[in-house]
Amino acid sequence: MFDKNFFPTPDPVIDRMISPILREYGGLRYVPNFQILEPSAGKGNIIDRLVNVYGANKEQVFCIEQNDELRMILSGKGYRVIDSDFLA
């Protein structure tokens, strides 16, 4: 289904990635003009956690994903997929 370059980000890593923002602002909803660009979104592990656990809004999320199947999964979850190549 997915290629050999598919590496989903585990929840503890996502929590560690987001912790500086939480310390600085107290939560994602308090960050001014907050937007998320996920340049290699995969099936959406990072943005799923940001939306479902940390309260980010799907309208704040922009995804880029190379794999056709993964882009369909992201779109099916209601995320905006804006491109297929973040280097382009």
Side-chain angles (χ1 to χ4, degrees), residues 38-56:
E38 172 53 284
S40 186
K43 64 181 180 61
N45 281 29
I46 293 173
I47 50 181
D48 284 344
R49 188 137 180 100
L50 295 179
V51 167
N52 298 325
V53 174
Y54 294 106

Side-chain angles (χ1 to χ4, degrees), residues 22 32-33 36-37 55 64 83:
L22 299 176
N33 302 314
I36 301 163
L37 173 62
I64 299 172
D83 208 332

